[in-house]
C-alpha cells in the first residue's frame, strides 16, 4: 500500500518513544537507569542497568524495525510497479504511485490491481472478468465482475476516448458495497444515468484471472482505497499471565517503596545521631537541600533489581518458541489439504491453557461447508424421505419425466434463481462459479433432475431440459440482503414473453408472503420436519407479473438503484412492493455434514471444563439437532430458554421467558444435576442484550451451553463493516456475538472465538484468543486470527497440549525470574547501603548466568501428551491459575528470602575475616547463588533432555570458566580471585553448606506434599513413571456441582459477587486466587472436602 514520505518520517520519529511507553516495567527501568547517572547516589556502575536495558530495547526494537523495513520494501515494490494509463487521451506507462483519480488504467491477465477501479471495458464479449480477492478478503474462489450496462458493447478502440462523470461516495472500508452512478458524455450515451455497484468494480490488491485484459477508471487511490481504509493495527491482547505478572510487579514495587522508605528513614536517623560520632565518616555540617533524599535514593537503586530486568526478553523469547512449536506440529496438519497450523500472534500461547468459554460459528467451522441436496417438499408431496436422497427418489424422477407442472416450476426456480455463472471446460463439461454453497447445491441438483443451466450470455440464461433449450431473459435481480433473508429474479420466458418473479429464501421470509387462500401448513410442517433432521431449509416461490405492473415497478427500482443516499434501504422498500402474493412451490432441504472428529473434540473439551456458545442461522430445532450431534448437549437434556420472539412488541413475553428460565434453574437446583443448556432466538437475543442484559447474563453464565439461532440479521453489516459471510443463508448476528464476548470478558473469563468466514473476523479479534479455520470460505478469518488451523478437531490439541504446556512453562519462568532477582536484592539489602557485587557481575547474573538454564524450560513436560489427551480434566489446574497466583508467588518470595539469608550468613561467617577481601566475599556469595539456582531449576524440571542437562550444568561450568578468565586479567578487578578460591577447600565446603542448607527444607516440603498431599497431576506423574495404568483415580468423568444451602436465591439482576459455588481445590494453597467456572462438574478424584471457600467469587463488571 502506498505510504507518503510524511507518514514514513512520522513512524521513524515515534519509533523509540512508542517502545518505551508500552509497559510499566520499561518506564521503571528507564527511570532507574537515569538515576544511576547521578554519581552521588549510585552504589554501582550505571552500566549494570544501562547495558541490559539497551539490550532489551534493542531486541524488541530490532524486531519491530525489521517488520517495518519489510513493509517498506513491500510498499516500495508496489508503488514503483509500472502500469498502463490513459491521460488526456494518450496511453503511457507510469508508476502505480502516480495514478490519479480519473485515470483510465489498463490491466492484463495475472496483473495486480493498483487502485480501486470502475470497469469500463473487458476482453470478454459478455462484459465479464474474473478476479482473485484472496489478498483482500481471504476468499479463494474467483469472483465475477461485470461491466456497467452503459459500457456494454463499446468498441475496444474507443475505450481510451471515453469521457464521463462518476458520482461516488466518500472513501470507506466497506469492501462489499459501492453505491455510485456513472454518466457518460456523448457520443457514447447522452447523459443517461447508470447505477454502479460493487460488482462493477475491481479493488486494490486483487488479481485479474482468466481474462485477457480489462480497463477501468480509478476512483480511489493510495490510502483512500478500500484496502487502505480497512488496514489497521489491532490492539495488542493481554494474557491472563501477563496481567498477573503486572499485578505481581506492582506488588513488588509497593514492597520496594516500603523497604526504601523504612531504610531511608533509618539511614538518615543513623547519620544524624551515630555517624557524627565516627571519625571516618566525613559528612559536612550543612548539606544541600536534597540531602535527605540521597540515602533513600541509594537504597532505591539497590532495591531496583527486585523487578527482573530480563523477564520481558525471556518471556518474549519463549513465547516465540511456543508459537514455533505450533507451526512445527505435524499432528496438526490437515492431510486432505496439506494446511498446517500457524500461530500469527506469538504472545498469547499461555492463554490457550486457560480457556473457559469457546464461542463458535457453525457453517464451515463445525461443518464441512459442502452442501448436498437431500430432500424436498413440492406441492405438499415429500420426496427423499425414505431413501434419504431426493435425487434418487423414483417418484420425483418420474414427475420430472412426465412434465408435472408443479415439479417443473420448482426445478426451474432451483436452476435460475441465483447468481451462478456456468463455465464450460474444453471437454464440454459444465462447472459452476457460485458465491454460495447453497446455490451451487441447488443448481447441481437441478442439473441432475434434467434442468441443466449451461450458458449465460449477457442477460440471457439458457436451460437444457430433456435435450430442449429454454431461454430466459433476466430483467432484474433483487439481491439477497441479511434483512430481507431472500433473493429474487425477474425473468422473461423467451418462448411466450411472460414475465415471472422467482424467489427463494428462509421460511419466515417467504411463507408469510403467500397469496391469500394458499394452504401453507404443509410447507411449515416440512420446514419443521427437515429442521428436526438438522437440515438447512429454503422455500421456493414464484408469481406471474403483468407487463404494466412490472414496467411501473421497474421505474421505481431503477430510481432507487441510482440513488447515492440510503440506496440499500430504498431498494429493500421497492423490492417489498413486488415480493408479495407469492405462490409457494415447495421447500428444499440441504445437508451440511459435520467435520470429522467434531463430536469427539467437543466432548473432550467439555470434560476439560470448557463451555460452548454456538451461533447459527438455522431454526431452533435444527440448532438443537446440530448441538446433539456435536455433543454440545446430552440427548436427555431438557433445554430451557426463550422461545421465538419474532416481533419487537413481544418484549414482555421475552421477559416472562427469562423469569421462567431463572425460576426453573433455581427450583430444580440445576447446578447439582450436571449439564444445562439454553436456546435463544435472534429477536429474543436482541431484546435480552438491549433491555435485560443483566438477567440474560445470569442465565448465560450459569449454563454450560448456549445455542443462539436465527440471530439478528440486521446487525451483521454494522458489526462486520459490511464483510458478511458468503453463505448468504447463514444469518449470523455479529453485533450480538460481540456483546456475548464482552459479557464473558467482563466476568473475567478467558474466551476463545473460532470461525472460518469474513463475518467471524470481528468476533475473532474481540475475543481473548481468535482461531481461524482455513476453509472453503477462504482465508480471511485465518489471517485475522491469532491462530489458524485446518480443521476444528485440531482445536483439542491446540488447547490441551500447546496451551497447557505454554501456561505451565510461562508460570515457572515468570516466578523464577522474580525469585532470582529477589535473591540477589535481599543480599544487597543485608549489606546495608552499598553493593556487595560489582557491576559486571550483576549484569552477567541478570542476563547470562540465570537466564540460559531457565530458557530450556520450553522443553519441559510435566505429563506426556498422551496422558494429557486421555485426562483433559487436568486443564482445570491451568484454568484456575494454580501455577501462577499470589499464593504460589508468596512461596517463591519466601524461598528467595530464605536462600538470601542462607547465602549471606554462610558467606559472611566463612569469609568475613581480616585477610579476606571484599571481592572474595562477593564471589563466594555469587557462587552460592548460582549453585542454588542450578539445583532449583533441576528440582522444578519434570522431564530432562540432553539439552536441559547441558544448559543447567554447562551454565554452571561456564560461570567458573568465565570468572577464571577474568581472574587472569589484572585490570578486571577480579585478578586472581577465582584462582585462589577454587584452590581452597573451605570454598567448596561453603558451597556444599549453602546448597544443603538452602535446598534441604525445599526438598522436605516437596517430598511431604508429593507423599501425603499429592495433587492429581502428581498421581498421573507417578503412574507414568511406573509405566502402569492409573488405578487410584477411578472414574474421572465429571460429576455434579454442589451449592451451599445458605446461598441467596438467583437474582434477576447480576450481582457483582457472582459465584457462591463450591468447586474443586485447584491449588495447594486453600486461598487460590482464581478458579474456573467452566465446568458444571467436579471429578471423582477431587475429594469433596477439598473445595474452595464459599467467599471466593469472581467479580463481574456491570454491563
Amino acid at each position: 500500500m502506498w505510504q507518503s514520505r510524511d507518514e514514513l518520517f512520522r513512524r521513524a520519529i515515534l519509533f523509540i518513544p512508542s517502545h518505551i511507553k508500552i509497559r510499566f516495567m520499561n518506564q521503571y527501568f528507564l527511570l532507574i537507569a537515569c538515576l544511576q547517572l547521578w554519581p552521588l547516589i549510585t552504589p554501582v556502575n550505571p552500566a549494570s542497568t544501562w547495558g541490559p536495558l539497551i539490550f532489551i530495547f534493542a531486541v524488541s526494537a530490532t524486531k519491530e524495525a525489521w517488520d517495518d523495513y519489510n513493509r517498506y520494501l513491500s510498499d516500495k515494490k508496489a508503488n514503483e510497479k509500472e502500469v498502463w494509463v490513459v491521460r488526456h487521451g494518450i496511453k503511457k506507462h507510469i508508476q502505480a504511485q502516480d495514478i490519479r483519480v480519473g485515470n483510465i488504467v489498463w490491466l492484463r491477465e495475472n496483473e495486480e490491481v493498483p487502485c480501486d477501479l470502475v470497469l469500463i471495458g473487458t476482453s470478454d464479449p459478455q462484459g465479464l472478468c474474473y478476479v482473485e480477492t484472496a489478498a483482500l478478503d481471504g476468499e479463494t474462489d474467483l469472483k465475477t465482475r461485470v461491466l456497467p450496462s452503459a459500457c456494454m458493447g463499446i468498441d475496444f478502440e474507443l475505450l481510451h476516448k471515453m469521457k464521463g462523470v462518476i458520482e461516488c461516495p466518500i472513501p470507506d472500508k466497506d469492501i462489499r458495497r459501492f453505491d455510485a452512478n456513472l454518466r457518460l458524455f456523448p457520443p457514447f450515451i447522452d447523459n443517461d444515468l447508470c447505477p454502479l455497484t460493487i460488482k462493477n468494480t475491481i479493488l486494490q490488491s486483487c488479481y485479474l484471472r482468466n481474462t485477457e485484459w480489462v480497463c477501468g477508471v480509478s476512483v480511489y487511490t493510495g490510502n483512500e482505497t478500500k484496502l487502505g481504509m480497512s488496514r489497521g493495527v489491532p490492539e495488542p491482547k493481554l494474557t491472563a499471565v501477563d496481567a498477573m505478572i503486572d499485578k505481581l510487579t506492582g506488588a513488588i514495587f509497593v514492597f520496594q517503596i516500603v523497604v526504601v522508605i523504612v531504610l531511608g528513614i533509618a539511614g538518615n536517623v543513623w547519620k544524624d545521631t551515630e555517624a557524627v560520632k565516627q571519625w571516618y565518616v566525613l559528612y559536612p555540617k550543612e548539606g544541600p537541600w536534597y540531602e535527605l533524599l540521597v540515602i533513600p535514593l541509594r537504597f532505591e537503586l539497590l532495591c531496583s533489581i527486585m523487578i527482573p530486568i530480563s523477564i520481558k526478553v525471556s518471556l518474549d523469547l519463549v513465547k516465540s518458541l511456543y508459537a514455533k512449536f505450533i507451526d512445527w506440529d505435524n499432528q496438526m496438519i490437515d492431510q486432505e489439504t496439506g494446511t498446517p497450523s500457524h500461530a500469527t500472534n506469538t504472545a498469547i500461547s499461555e492463554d490457550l491453557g486457560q480457556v473457559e468459554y469457546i464461542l463458535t460459528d457453525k457453517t464451515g467451522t463445525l461443518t464441512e461447508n459442502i452442501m448436498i441436496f437431500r430432500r424436498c417438499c413440492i406441492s405438499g408431496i415429500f420426496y427423499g424421505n425414505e431413501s434419504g436422497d431426493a435425487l434418487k427418489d423414483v417418484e420425483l424422477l418420474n414427475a420430472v419425466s412426465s412434465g408435472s407442472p408443479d415439479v417443473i416450476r420448482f426445478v426451474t426456480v432451483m436452476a435460475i434463481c441465483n447468481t451462478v455463472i456456468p463455465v464450460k471446460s474444453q471437454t464440454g463439461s459444465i462447472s459452476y462459479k457460485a458465491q454460495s454453497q447453497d446455490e451451487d447445491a441447488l443448481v447441481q441438483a437441478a442439473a441432475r433432475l434434467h434442468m441443466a443451466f449451461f450458458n449465460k450470455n449477457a442477460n440471457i440464461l439458457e436451460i437444457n431440459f430433456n435435450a430442449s433449450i429454454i431461454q430466459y431473459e433476466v430483467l432484474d435481480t433483487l439481491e439477497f440482503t441479511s434483512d430481507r433473508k431472500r433473493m429474487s429474479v425477474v425473468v422473461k420466458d423467451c418462448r411466450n414473453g411472460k414475465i415471472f418473479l422467482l424467489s427463494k429464501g428462509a421460511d419466515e421470509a417467504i411463507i408469510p408472503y403467500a397469496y391469500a387462500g394458499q394452504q401453507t401448513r404443509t410447507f411449515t410442517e416440512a420446514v419443521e420436519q427437515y429442521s428436526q433432521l438438522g437440515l438447512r431449509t429454503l422455500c421456493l416461490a414464484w408469481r406471474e407479473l403483468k407487463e404494466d405492473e412490472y414496467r411501473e415497478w421497474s421505474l421505481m427500482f431503477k430510481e432507487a438503484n441510482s440513488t447515492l443516499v440510503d440506496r440499500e434501504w430504498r431498494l429493500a422498500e421497492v423490492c417489498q412492493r413486488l415480493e408479495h402474493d407469492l405462490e409457494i412451490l415447495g421447500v428444499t432441504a440441504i445437508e451440511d455434514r459435520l467435520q470429522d472428529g467434531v463430536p469427539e473434540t467437543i466432548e473432550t473439551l467439555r470434560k476439560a471444563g470448557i463451555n460452548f456458545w454456538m451461533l447459527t442461522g438455522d431454526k431452533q430445532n435444527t440448532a438443537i439437532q446440530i448441538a446433539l450431534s456435536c455433543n454440545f448437549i446430552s440427548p436427555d437434556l431438557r433445554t430451557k430458554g426463550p422461545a421465538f420472539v419474532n416481533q419487537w412488541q413481544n418484549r414482555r413475553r421475552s421477559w416472562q421467558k427469562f423469569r421462567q428460565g431463572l425460576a426453573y434453574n433455581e427450583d430444580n437446583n440445576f447446578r447439582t444435576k450436571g449439564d444445562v443448556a439454553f436456546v435463544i432466538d435472534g429477536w429474543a437475543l436482541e431484546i435480552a442484550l438491549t433491555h435485560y442484559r443483566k438477567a440474560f447474563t445470569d442465565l448465560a453464565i450459569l449454563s454450560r451451553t448456549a445455542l443462539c439461532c436465527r440471530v439478528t440479521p440486521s446487525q451483521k453489516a454494522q458489526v462486520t463493516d459490511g464483510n458478511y459471510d458468503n453463505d448468504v443463508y447463514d444469518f449470523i448476528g455479529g453485533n450480538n456475538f460481540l456483546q456475548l464476548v464482552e459479557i464473558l470478558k467482563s466476568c473475567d473469563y478467558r474466551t476463545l472465538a473460532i470461525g472460518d468466514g469474513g463475518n467471524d473476523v470481528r468476533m475473532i479479534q474481540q475475543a481473548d484468543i481468535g482461531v481461524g479455520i482455513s476453509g472453503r470460505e477462504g482465508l480471511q478469518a485465518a489471517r485475522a486470527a491469532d491462530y489458524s488451523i485446518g480443521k476444528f478437531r485440531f482445536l483439542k490439541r491446540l488447547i490441551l497440549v500447546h496451551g497447557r504446556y505454554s501456561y505451565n512453562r510461562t508460570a515457572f519462568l515468570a516466578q523464577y525470574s522474580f525469585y532470582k532477582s529477589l535473591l540477589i536484592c535481599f543480599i544487597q539489602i543485608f549489606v546495608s547501603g552499598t553493593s556487595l557485587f560489582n557491576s559486571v557481575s550483576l549484569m552477567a547474573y541478570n542476563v547470562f548466568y540465570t537466564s540460559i538454564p531457565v530458557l530450556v524450560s520450553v522443553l519441559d513436560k510435566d505429563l506426556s501428551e498422551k496422558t494429557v489427551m486421555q485426562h483433559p480434566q487436568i486443564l482445570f489446574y491451568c484454568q484456575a491459575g494454580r501455577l501462577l497466583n499470589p499464593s504460589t508467588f508468596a512461596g517463591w518470595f519466601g524461598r528467595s528470602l530464605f536462600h538470601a539469608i542462607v547465602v549471606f550468613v554462610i558467606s559472611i561467617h566463612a569469609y568475613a575475616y581480616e585477610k579476606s577481601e571484599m571481592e572474595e566475599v562477593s564471589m563466594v556469595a555469587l557462587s552460592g547463588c548460582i549453585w542454588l539456582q542450578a539445583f532449583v531449576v533441576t528440582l522444578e524440571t519434570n522431564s530432562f533432555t540432553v539439552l536441559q542437562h547441558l544448559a543447567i550444568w554447562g551454565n554452571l561450568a561456564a560461570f567458573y570458566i568465565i570468572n577464571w578468565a577474568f581472574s587472569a586479567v589484572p585490570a578486571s578487578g577480579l585478578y586472581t580471585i577465582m584462582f585462589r578460591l577454587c584452590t581452597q577447600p573451605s570454598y567448596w565446603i561453603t558451597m556444599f553448606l549453602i546448597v544443603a542448607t538452602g535446598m534441604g527444607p525445599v526438598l522436605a516440603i516437596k517430598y511431604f506434599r508429593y507423599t501425603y498431599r499429592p495433587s492429581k497431576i502428581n498421581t498421573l506423574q507417578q503412574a507414568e513413571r511406573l509405566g502402569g495404568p492409573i488405578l487410584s483415580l477411578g472414574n474421572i468423568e465429571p460429576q455434579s456441582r454442589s451449592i451451599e444451602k445458605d446461598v441467596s436465591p438467583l437474582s434477576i439482576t447480576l450481582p457483582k459477587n457472582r459465584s457462591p459455588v463450591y468447586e474443586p481445590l485447584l491449588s495447594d494453597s486453600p486461598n487460590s486466587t482464581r478458579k474456573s467456572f467452566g465446568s458444571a462438574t467436579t471429578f471423582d478424584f477431587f475429594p469433596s472436602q477439598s473445595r474452595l471457600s464459599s467467599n471466593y467469587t469472581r467479580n463481574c463488571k456491570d454491563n
Side-chain angles (χ1 to χ4, degrees):
M1 188 181 74
W2 178 79
Q3 289 189 24
S4 66
R5 293 182 178 87
D6 292 340
E7 175 68 13
L8 295 175
F9 179 75
R10 184 188 68 83
R11 287 175 61 86
I13 292 297
L14 297 178
F15 183 76
I16 297 298
S18 66
H19 283 277
I20 293 177
K21 67 181 182 180
I22 290 176
R23 296 285 294 272
F24 163 75
M25 280 193 285
N26 290 351
Q27 302 173 7
Y28 170 79
F29 287 120
L30 183 62
L31 174 63
I32 294 300
C34 291
L35 287 175
Q36 286 188 343
L37 296 176
W38 189 1
L40 183 62
I41 65 172
T42 180
V44 295
N45 192 314
S48 63
T49 299
W50 278 103
L53 186 65
I54 292 174
F55 174 76
I56 289 171
F57 283 159
V59 170
S60 177
T62 300
K63 179 179 179 296
E64 295 295 331
W66 179 253
D67 292 341
D68 281 349
Y69 178 69
N70 287 331
R71 275 193 294 267
Y72 162 74
L73 292 180
S74 176
D75 292 340
K76 185 174 183 292
K77 181 180 179 181
N79 294 340
E80 296 179 353
K81 186 178 297 183
E82 292 192 343
V83 295
W84 282 103
V85 301
V86 175
R87 285 184 176 175
H88 308 295
I90 302 174
K91 190 175 181 181
K92 59 182 180 181
H93 252 132
I94 65 171
Q95 290 186 346
Q97 61 187 354
D98 296 326
I99 297 176
R100 297 294 178 262
V101 173
N103 292 159
I104 297 178
V105 180
W106 291 74
L107 298 173
R108 294 192 176 276
E109 186 176 2
N110 296 326
E111 287 186 346
E112 183 180 3
V113 182
C115 60
D116 292 350
L117 302 173
V118 170
L119 290 172
I120 60 173
T122 174
S123 60
D124 187 86
Q126 300 182 26
L128 301 176
C129 72
Y130 300 95
V131 292
E132 178 186 297
T133 62
L136 183 66
D137 57 14
E139 297 173 2
T140 54
D141 291 339
L142 295 183
K143 304 297 188 302
T144 304
R145 295 295 182 258
V146 62
L147 293 181
S149 58
C151 300
M152 288 289 187
I154 297 179
D155 190 77
F156 168 79
E157 299 294 335
L158 298 177
L159 289 175
H160 69 283
K161 299 180 181 180
M162 290 180 63
K163 293 185 178 180
V165 174
I166 297 178
E167 302 171 353
C168 55
I170 61 175
D172 59 56
K173 58 184 178 180
D174 189 347
I175 65 173
R176 305 287 180 176
R177 185 173 179 178
F178 180 72
D179 298 336
N181 291 322
L182 169 66
R183 192 187 302 271
L184 296 180
F185 296 157
F188 300 97
I189 294 180
D190 190 9
N191 287 326
D192 192 14
L193 198 64
C194 175
L196 301 175
T197 68
I198 197 65
K199 292 186 177 181
N200 305 124
T201 68
I202 50 177
L203 303 181
Q204 183 190 24
S205 293
C206 296
Y207 284 85
L208 184 66
R209 304 294 190 199
N210 300 342
T211 309
E212 185 178 350
W213 59 266
V214 299
C215 69
V217 179
S218 61
V219 289
Y220 302 125
T221 62
N223 288 326
E224 292 183 347
T225 63
K226 290 186 178 293
L227 177 64
M229 297 292 290
S230 62
R231 182 177 293 178
V233 179
E235 294 184 3
K237 296 182 177 181
L238 185 68
T239 67
V241 170
D242 286 337
M244 179 59 68
I245 291 174
D246 287 345
K247 292 178 182 178
L248 297 177
T249 302
I252 290 294
F253 180 73
V254 172
F255 173 76
Q256 180 188 102
I257 295 300
V258 172
V259 171
V260 168
I261 292 175
V262 172
L263 295 179
I265 293 174
N268 279 313
V269 171
W270 179 85
K271 183 190 71 173
D272 293 338
T273 56
E274 298 296 329
V276 295
K277 301 177 183 179
Q278 309 298 327
W279 62 269
Y280 55 85
V281 179
L282 301 178
Y283 281 115
K285 293 183 178 180
E286 292 184 4
W289 61 270
Y290 53 79
E291 182 180 12
L292 291 176
L293 298 178
V294 172
I295 294 179
L297 288 177
R298 177 178 285 267
F299 277 111
E300 170 61 29
L301 295 180
L302 284 174
C303 295
S304 63
I305 57 176
M306 279 187 181
I307 300 177
I309 196 171
S310 62
I311 188 172
K312 185 179 185 301
V313 171
S314 300
L315 289 176
D316 288 346
L317 179 58
V318 297
K319 288 181 179 183
S320 298
L321 290 175
Y322 300 156
K324 285 300 179 183
F325 291 158
I326 295 174
D327 295 345
W328 296 335
D329 192 341
N330 292 330
Q331 297 187 46
M332 293 179 63
I333 297 178
D334 183 11
Q335 300 299 328
E336 295 180 9
T337 62
T339 303
S341 57
H342 177 63
T344 305
N345 191 334
T346 61
I348 62 172
S349 296
E350 66 273 18
D351 248 7
L352 287 168
Q354 295 193 283
V355 170
E356 296 169 282
Y357 275 84
I358 293 178
L359 301 98
T360 178
D361 178 33
K362 181 185 75 72
T363 303
T365 302
L366 302 176
T367 64
E368 294 179 346
N369 202 15
I370 300 177
M371 308 301 176
I372 302 175
F373 183 85
R374 287 301 186 192
R375 306 187 185 198
C376 62
C377 173
I378 305 175
S379 299
I381 301 176
F382 290 82
Y383 299 100
N385 279 8
E386 295 182 1
S387 63
D389 188 351
L391 300 179
K392 297 180 180 180
D393 193 312
V394 177
E395 187 176 352
L396 177 60
L397 296 176
N398 291 337
V400 174
S401 301
S402 62
S404 170
D406 292 338
V407 174
I408 297 302
R409 285 185 296 173
F410 181 86
V411 179
T412 300
V413 175
M414 287 174 56
I416 64 177
C417 183
N418 51 62
T419 58
V420 173
I421 304 294
V423 179
K424 191 173 184 179
S425 65
Q426 295 180 351
T427 60
S429 61
I430 302 296
S431 61
Y432 298 104
K433 294 290 185 181
Q435 297 188 20
S436 164
Q437 298 293 331
D438 292 85
E439 288 190 341
D440 183 71
L442 292 178
V443 175
Q444 295 279 6
R448 292 184 59 182
L449 293 173
H450 311 293
M451 187 74 70
F453 176 26
F454 72 94
N455 187 35
K456 183 176 184 179
N457 187 2
N459 291 332
I460 302 300
L461 309 180
E462 294 183 332
I463 306 296
N464 186 338
F465 177 60
N466 288 334
S468 62
I469 306 301
I470 305 174
Q471 292 186 337
Y472 292 92
E473 180 184 359
V474 178
L475 302 179
D476 290 296
T477 300
L478 287 62
E479 295 184 356
F480 166 85
T481 66
S482 56
D483 287 329
R484 293 173 56 243
K485 301 184 183 180
R486 61 180 176 269
M487 71 90 60
S488 303
V489 293
V490 180
V491 298
K492 177 188 288 187
D493 191 336
C494 296
R495 296 171 297 182
N496 51 32
K498 291 184 178 181
I499 300 175
F500 297 97
L501 171 71
L502 313 180
S503 299
K504 75 171 184 287
D507 56 290
E508 68 265 30
I510 297 293
I511 294 178
Y513 299 95
Y515 68 86
Q518 183 178 14
Q519 297 296 322
T520 60
R521 181 176 178 180
T522 303
F523 301 117
T524 302
E525 291 176 351
V527 170
E528 291 298 323
Q529 177 182 326
Y530 293 149
S531 64
Q532 290 282 358
L533 298 174
L535 301 176
R536 302 161 62 90
T537 59
L538 288 174
C539 293
L540 308 186
W542 84 342
R543 79 178 178 99
E544 185 177 349
L545 302 178
K546 296 181 180 179
E547 189 169 345
D548 292 341
E549 178 187 8
Y550 169 71
R551 188 181 300 111
E552 180 183 355
W553 176 86
S554 180
L555 293 175
M556 292 187 294
F557 183 73
K558 184 176 182 180
E559 180 183 357
N561 210 19
S562 60
T563 184
L564 296 181
V565 180
D566 295 330
R567 176 182 292 186
E568 186 175 354
W569 178 83
R570 293 193 60 182
L571 281 174
E573 184 182 27
V574 173
C575 291
Q576 189 74 23
R577 294 175 179 267
L578 196 67
E579 295 172 323
H580 60 84
D581 293 333
L582 302 175
E583 180 183 352
I584 312 300
L585 299 177
V587 180
T588 65
I590 298 175
E591 179 188 29
D592 186 9
R593 289 182 294 190
L594 291 178
Q595 296 179 18
D596 293 338
V598 167
E600 295 80 7
T601 298
I602 293 175
E603 182 179 9
T604 300
L605 293 178
R606 280 171 56 82
K607 288 180 180 179
I610 297 177
N611 303 323
F612 282 87
W613 287 14
M614 181 183 75
L615 261 70
T616 175
D618 296 323
K619 294 180 67 64
Q620 184 177 15
N621 289 334
T622 305
I624 294 174
Q625 292 302 317
I626 294 295
L628 288 170
S629 60
C630 290
N631 285 331
F632 279 131
I633 54 180
S634 56
D636 57 345
L637 176 65
R638 290 185 63 189
T639 56
K640 300 293 289 187
F644 282 125
V645 183
N646 294 320
Q647 302 293 333
W648 284 98
Q649 59 262 31
N650 286 337
R651 174 177 167 183
R652 175 174 295 182
R653 183 185 174 195
S654 178
W655 172 243
Q656 292 173 351
K657 288 290 184 180
F658 275 117
R659 293 181 64 90
Q660 292 172 8
L662 291 171
Y664 169 81
N665 295 335
E666 188 173 347
D667 293 342
N668 291 274
N669 196 13
F670 70 92
R671 280 170 286 189
T672 64
K673 293 183 177 294
D675 289 350
V676 171
F678 76 92
V679 183
I680 188 169
D681 174 76
W683 287 113
L685 180 61
E686 184 73 25
I687 294 173
L689 294 176
T690 304
H691 302 286
Y692 309 118
R693 189 183 181 93
K694 292 185 177 181
F696 173 75
T697 304
D698 269 340
L699 181 63
I701 292 298
L702 298 176
S703 300
R704 291 218 59 195
T705 302
L707 306 178
C708 305
C709 54
R710 292 298 193 199
V711 180
T712 315
S714 61
Q715 301 296 326
K716 182 194 295 185
Q718 58 180 303
V719 175
T720 59
D721 296 325
N723 301 336
Y724 50 82
D725 198 345
N726 278 339
D727 182 358
V728 295
Y729 298 105
D730 201 8
F731 311 124
I732 303 299
N735 188 48
N736 293 332
F737 219 153
L738 291 182
Q739 293 187 61
L740 298 180
V741 174
E742 292 174 0
I743 286 175
L744 295 175
K745 293 177 70 174
S746 69
C747 294
D748 197 30
Y749 287 115
R750 309 312 291 181
T751 58
L752 182 149
I754 181 170
D756 72 313
N759 66 318
D760 303 318
V761 169
R762 289 290 299 277
M763 171 190 75
I764 286 172
Q765 293 177 338
Q766 181 74 12
D768 295 310
I769 304 168
V771 178
I773 292 182
S774 304
R776 295 178 176 272
E777 294 184 7
L779 303 174
Q780 190 175 5
R783 289 176 175 175
D786 302 306
Y787 301 92
S788 63
I789 54 179
K791 290 289 188 294
F792 183 86
R793 66 176 181 270
F794 298 132
L795 187 63
K796 175 170 63 175
R797 182 172 176 83
L798 183 67
I799 292 176
L800 296 180
V801 176
H802 293 286
R804 185 178 176 277
Y805 285 158
S806 297
Y807 170 77
N808 290 352
R809 295 160 178 168
T810 304
F812 166 69
L813 174 60
Q815 294 176 114
Y816 172 84
S817 298
F818 280 105
Y819 158 78
K820 69 182 182 65
S821 295
L822 288 168
L823 171 62
I824 207 77
C825 180
F826 284 138
I827 296 175
Q828 294 276 66
I829 293 175
F830 296 155
V831 178
S832 299
T834 186
S835 177
L836 178 62
F837 309 102
N838 61 49
S839 301
V840 176
S841 297
L842 281 177
M843 192 186 315
Y845 176 86
N846 280 319
V847 177
F848 182 72
Y849 295 148
T850 58
S851 295
I852 293 180
V854 77
L855 290 181
V856 296
S857 65
V858 296
L859 303 176
D860 188 38
K861 297 180 179 180
D862 60 338
L863 294 169
S864 67
E865 295 178 4
K866 181 180 178 181
T867 301
V868 171
M869 298 291 276
Q870 287 178 345
H871 305 286
Q873 294 93 331
I874 58 176
L875 189 69
F876 277 117
Y877 286 86
C878 299
Q879 294 170 331
R882 176 188 183 275
L883 298 183
L884 179 61
N885 54 58
S887 176
T888 59
F889 181 76
W892 282 93
F893 184 91
R895 185 186 299 189
S896 65
L897 179 59
F898 171 68
H899 284 174
I901 294 173
V902 169
V903 172
F904 178 76
V905 171
I906 295 179
S907 299
I908 292 298
H909 281 77
Y911 277 84
Y913 49 88
E914 294 181 359
K915 294 183 180 181
S916 297
E917 299 177 4
M918 191 65 172
E919 289 78 4
E920 287 186 355
V921 179
S922 171
M923 186 56 65
V924 170
L926 185 62
S927 301
C929 292
I930 301 301
W931 275 94
L932 275 177
Q933 286 169 73
F935 279 91
V936 167
V937 174
T938 303
L939 184 64
E940 297 297 332
T941 301
N942 296 285
S943 60
F944 287 96
T945 62
V946 174
L947 184 60
Q948 287 168 301
H949 280 296
L950 183 63
I952 295 172
W953 308 115
N955 181 77
L956 186 61
F959 166 76
Y960 284 98
I961 294 173
I962 292 172
N963 281 281
W964 283 338
F966 273 101
S967 296
V969 179
S972 65
L974 299 176
Y975 187 56
T976 72
I977 295 295
M978 187 56 75
F979 294 147
R980 282 180 284 158
L981 288 177
C982 290
T983 58
Q984 298 171 6
S986 60
Y987 171 79
W988 298 108
I989 294 174
T990 302
M991 294 302 103
F992 175 79
L993 289 175
I994 289 175
V995 172
T997 307
M999 297 305 299
V1002 177
L1003 284 170
I1005 294 174
K1006 197 173 187 68
Y1007 174 80
F1008 174 80
R1009 285 185 174 177
Y1010 190 84
T1011 305
Y1012 300 103
R1013 291 189 57 190
S1015 67
K1016 303 315 160 185
I1017 293 180
N1018 297 147
T1019 305
L1020 294 173
Q1021 289 173 333
Q1022 186 178 11
E1024 282 189 344
R1025 293 189 182 101
L1026 296 176
I1030 302 172
L1031 301 177
S1032 60
L1033 296 182
N1035 180 20
I1036 59 174
E1037 291 293 325
Q1039 49 180 274
S1040 18
R1041 286 183 289 188
S1042 63
I1043 183 170
E1044 286 295 285
K1045 295 181 179 179
D1046 58 350
V1047 173
S1048 58
L1050 186 63
S1051 173
I1052 296 300
T1053 59
L1054 178 65
K1056 290 187 176 180
N1057 295 330
R1058 179 180 58 82
S1059 172
V1061 180
Y1062 279 95
E1063 299 221 355
L1065 179 63
L1066 299 182
S1067 174
D1068 291 334
S1069 167
N1071 298 318
S1072 178
T1073 60
R1074 191 171 183 269
K1075 72 174 186 67
S1076 168
F1077 197 82
S1079 174
T1081 62
T1082 62
F1083 324 122
D1084 287 339
F1085 60 69
F1086 282 116
S1088 59
Q1089 66 270 21
S1090 300
R1091 299 185 181 274
L1092 292 174
S1093 59
S1094 60
N1095 60 0
Y1096 179 83
T1097 58
R1098 185 196 296 272
N1099 292 328
C1100 290
K1101 302 172 185 176
D1102 290 336
N1103 295 303

